[in-house]
Amino acid sequence: MEEEIRECIWPVKRIYPEGFILLAGRPKVKKSFFALNIGLAVASGTMFAGCFETTKGDVLYLALE
């Protein structure tokens, strides 16, 4: 009851919370490029898609297809 739960960290504000993310969709709709662009934006601390703020941080990108 006394344990404090820390606030969720959002590397890409309003889109993705910190932690495990799974992208699902039809084949050939550029899910891998979408995830790569998010990873690059978070790793460099720049805006994603020109309108979403990111928090600079570490990124592990695994394209397991």
Side-chain angles (χ1 to χ4, degrees):
M1 295 294 289
E2 294 179 16
E3 182 178 346
E4 292 185 29
I5 299 173
R6 67 180 177 99
E7 188 174 330
C8 184
I9 297 171
W10 291 80
V12 180
K13 306 242 186 299
R14 303 185 323 247
I15 294 184
Y16 287 114
E18 180 183 52
F20 179 76
I21 301 297
L22 179 66
L23 287 175
R26 292 180 297 135
K28 305 292 182 191
V29 292
K30 307 291 186 193
K31 295 178 297 286
S32 296
F33 286 109
F34 181 73
L36 181 61
N37 285 330
I38 288 176
L40 290 171
V42 171
S44 64
T46 59
M47 298 284 281
F48 171 68
C51 59
F52 294 102
E53 295 179 33
T54 61
T55 303
K56 188 172 183 176
D58 296 331
V59 175
L60 174 63
Y61 175 75
L62 300 173
L64 306 173
E65 300 179 17

